[in-house]
Amino acid sequence: MSQKQRDLLELGRLEYLQALVTEFQITESPEAKKQILANLANFAYDPKNYEYLRQLQVLDLFLDMLTEDNEILVEFAIGGLCNLCLDKTNKDYILEADGVAPVINCLSSSNEETVMSAVTTLMYLTTPQSRQQTTALPVVECMLRFSLSANRRLSNLARVFLEDYCSPVQVEEARNLSKHTAVGIPLPKD
């Protein structure tokens, strides 16, 4: 394939993604919004699209969708962020945009996929600078409860989070606090 052919393919990719973003912004149909957001989240899986998605401000779109009432939109948005945050530039952007708090809020979702993506996203967003926020006491408490879930996927993921991202002191502090309170983020439905 010639350089010219590759350039045309890349231009086509950008135009297609631009068309998706524009359609998402103008459509009134909730079903169309879900489908478009699902498509954008799928495109976020491919590193070839990262630059285009940044250029089209799709990271902001995903972050904005995390506060929607529609659980499906939230699921696709957190899935898209999860796909994007492995990239250092995207990770830095999400952290600078105060994206950790809305991701943490997704832990209280009743949608299992949303919760799984939120836990994974927190793992990917953890850096020496963000660790204090991604492993804050309420998050560690939540992971302790998730580690006891009958849902094997969730319990295993929570255990990895506790073992790989939290210090033994943090886990112990959360355990002690949990013994004295019933407050916290609810478990998703199995």
Side-chain angles (χ1 to χ4, degrees), residues 19-29 33:
L20 282 176
V21 171
T22 301
E23 180 65 21
F24 184 85
Q25 292 168 338
I26 63 174
T27 188
E28 298 292 324
S29 166
K33 280 194 180 292

PDB file of all heavy atoms in Angstrom, residues 19-29 33:
ATOM      1  N   ALA A  19     -18.102  12.219  11.850  1.00  0.00           N
ATOM      2  CA  ALA A  19     -19.526  12.051  11.547  1.00  0.00           C
ATOM      3  C   ALA A  19     -20.258  11.421  12.737  1.00  0.00           C
ATOM      4  O   ALA A  19     -21.388  11.825  13.069  1.00  0.00           O
ATOM      5  CB  ALA A  19     -19.702  11.202  10.292  1.00  0.00           C
ATOM      6  N   LEU A  20     -19.630  10.458  13.402  1.00  0.00           N
ATOM      7  CA  LEU A  20     -20.246   9.839  14.585  1.00  0.00           C
ATOM      8  C   LEU A  20     -20.441  10.865  15.701  1.00  0.00           C
ATOM      9  O   LEU A  20     -21.515  10.937  16.310  1.00  0.00           O
ATOM     10  CB  LEU A  20     -19.380   8.688  15.106  1.00  0.00           C
ATOM     11  CG  LEU A  20     -19.448   7.366  14.371  1.00  0.00           C
ATOM     12  CD1 LEU A  20     -18.441   6.379  14.966  1.00  0.00           C
ATOM     13  CD2 LEU A  20     -20.840   6.778  14.402  1.00  0.00           C
ATOM     14  N   VAL A  21     -19.408  11.648  15.964  1.00  0.00           N
ATOM     15  CA  VAL A  21     -19.492  12.653  17.032  1.00  0.00           C
ATOM     16  C   VAL A  21     -20.571  13.678  16.707  1.00  0.00           C
ATOM     17  O   VAL A  21     -21.389  14.029  17.568  1.00  0.00           O
ATOM     18  CB  VAL A  21     -18.121  13.335  17.252  1.00  0.00           C
ATOM     19  CG1 VAL A  21     -18.241  14.517  18.193  1.00  0.00           C
ATOM     20  CG2 VAL A  21     -17.115  12.322  17.796  1.00  0.00           C
ATOM     21  N   THR A  22     -20.604  14.137  15.469  1.00  0.00           N
ATOM     22  CA  THR A  22     -21.618  15.118  15.060  1.00  0.00           C
ATOM     23  C   THR A  22     -23.019  14.538  15.202  1.00  0.00           C
ATOM     24  O   THR A  22     -23.924  15.195  15.730  1.00  0.00           O
ATOM     25  CB  THR A  22     -21.367  15.573  13.603  1.00  0.00           C
ATOM     26  OG1 THR A  22     -20.062  16.145  13.528  1.00  0.00           O
ATOM     27  CG2 THR A  22     -22.401  16.588  13.157  1.00  0.00           C
ATOM     28  N   GLU A  23     -23.201  13.305  14.747  1.00  0.00           N
ATOM     29  CA  GLU A  23     -24.518  12.659  14.850  1.00  0.00           C
ATOM     30  C   GLU A  23     -24.932  12.518  16.322  1.00  0.00           C
ATOM     31  O   GLU A  23     -26.087  12.744  16.670  1.00  0.00           O
ATOM     32  CB  GLU A  23     -24.489  11.289  14.174  1.00  0.00           C
ATOM     33  CG  GLU A  23     -25.797  10.539  14.237  1.00  0.00           C
ATOM     34  CD  GLU A  23     -26.949  11.201  13.485  1.00  0.00           C
ATOM     35  OE1 GLU A  23     -26.699  12.028  12.587  1.00  0.00           O
ATOM     36  OE2 GLU A  23     -28.110  10.899  13.821  1.00  0.00           O
ATOM     37  N   PHE A  24     -23.976  12.158  17.178  1.00  0.00           N
ATOM     38  CA  PHE A  24     -24.287  12.035  18.599  1.00  0.00           C
ATOM     39  C   PHE A  24     -24.789  13.368  19.158  1.00  0.00           C
ATOM     40  O   PHE A  24     -25.729  13.409  19.940  1.00  0.00           O
ATOM     41  CB  PHE A  24     -23.053  11.577  19.389  1.00  0.00           C
ATOM     42  CG  PHE A  24     -23.350  11.338  20.841  1.00  0.00           C
ATOM     43  CD1 PHE A  24     -23.846  10.124  21.266  1.00  0.00           C
ATOM     44  CD2 PHE A  24     -23.147  12.334  21.790  1.00  0.00           C
ATOM     45  CE1 PHE A  24     -24.136   9.896  22.610  1.00  0.00           C
ATOM     46  CE2 PHE A  24     -23.436  12.114  23.126  1.00  0.00           C
ATOM     47  CZ  PHE A  24     -23.928  10.902  23.535  1.00  0.00           C
ATOM     48  N   GLN A  25     -24.144  14.457  18.744  1.00  0.00           N
ATOM     49  CA  GLN A  25     -24.488  15.778  19.265  1.00  0.00           C
ATOM     50  C   GLN A  25     -25.841  16.274  18.772  1.00  0.00           C
ATOM     51  O   GLN A  25     -26.523  16.991  19.504  1.00  0.00           O
ATOM     52  CB  GLN A  25     -23.393  16.786  18.895  1.00  0.00           C
ATOM     53  CG  GLN A  25     -22.098  16.516  19.619  1.00  0.00           C
ATOM     54  CD  GLN A  25     -20.921  17.300  19.068  1.00  0.00           C
ATOM     55  OE1 GLN A  25     -20.929  17.741  17.924  1.00  0.00           O
ATOM     56  NE2 GLN A  25     -19.899  17.461  19.890  1.00  0.00           N
ATOM     57  N   ILE A  26     -26.253  15.885  17.568  1.00  0.00           N
ATOM     58  CA  ILE A  26     -27.498  16.445  17.017  1.00  0.00           C
ATOM     59  C   ILE A  26     -28.711  15.534  17.161  1.00  0.00           C
ATOM     60  O   ILE A  26     -29.843  16.019  17.113  1.00  0.00           O
ATOM     61  CB  ILE A  26     -27.333  16.866  15.534  1.00  0.00           C
ATOM     62  CG1 ILE A  26     -27.023  15.670  14.644  1.00  0.00           C
ATOM     63  CG2 ILE A  26     -26.291  17.949  15.399  1.00  0.00           C
ATOM     64  CD1 ILE A  26     -26.997  15.991  13.165  1.00  0.00           C
ATOM     65  N   THR A  27     -28.480  14.247  17.361  1.00  0.00           N
ATOM     66  CA  THR A  27     -29.628  13.340  17.411  1.00  0.00           C
ATOM     67  C   THR A  27     -30.440  13.536  18.692  1.00  0.00           C
ATOM     68  O   THR A  27     -29.897  13.837  19.752  1.00  0.00           O
ATOM     69  CB  THR A  27     -29.216  11.860  17.273  1.00  0.00           C
ATOM     70  OG1 THR A  27     -30.400  11.070  17.133  1.00  0.00           O
ATOM     71  CG2 THR A  27     -28.438  11.369  18.485  1.00  0.00           C
ATOM     72  N   GLU A  28     -31.736  13.359  18.549  1.00  0.00           N
ATOM     73  CA  GLU A  28     -32.635  13.408  19.705  1.00  0.00           C
ATOM     74  C   GLU A  28     -33.000  11.997  20.163  1.00  0.00           C
ATOM     75  O   GLU A  28     -33.576  11.822  21.222  1.00  0.00           O
ATOM     76  CB  GLU A  28     -33.918  14.175  19.335  1.00  0.00           C
ATOM     77  CG  GLU A  28     -33.690  15.637  18.953  1.00  0.00           C
ATOM     78  CD  GLU A  28     -33.245  16.483  20.134  1.00  0.00           C
ATOM     79  OE1 GLU A  28     -33.710  16.240  21.264  1.00  0.00           O
ATOM     80  OE2 GLU A  28     -32.409  17.382  19.921  1.00  0.00           O
ATOM     81  N   SER A  29     -32.679  11.014  19.362  1.00  0.00           N
ATOM     82  CA  SER A  29     -33.067   9.634  19.632  1.00  0.00           C
ATOM     83  C   SER A  29     -32.170   8.998  20.694  1.00  0.00           C
ATOM     84  O   SER A  29     -30.961   8.861  20.487  1.00  0.00           O
ATOM     85  CB  SER A  29     -32.976   8.814  18.342  1.00  0.00           C
ATOM     86  OG  SER A  29     -33.026   7.431  18.638  1.00  0.00           O
ATOM     87  N   LYS A  33     -28.299   7.534  20.247  1.00  0.00           N
ATOM     88  CA  LYS A  33     -27.196   7.951  21.127  1.00  0.00           C
ATOM     89  C   LYS A  33     -26.474   6.725  21.696  1.00  0.00           C
ATOM     90  O   LYS A  33     -25.243   6.685  21.735  1.00  0.00           O
ATOM     91  CB  LYS A  33     -27.716   8.838  22.262  1.00  0.00           C
ATOM     92  CG  LYS A  33     -27.957  10.278  21.855  1.00  0.00           C
ATOM     93  CD  LYS A  33     -28.142  11.141  23.092  1.00  0.00           C
ATOM     94  CE  LYS A  33     -28.374  12.575  22.752  1.00  0.00           C
ATOM     95  NZ  LYS A  33     -27.226  13.264  22.173  1.00  0.00           N
TER      96      LYS A  33
END
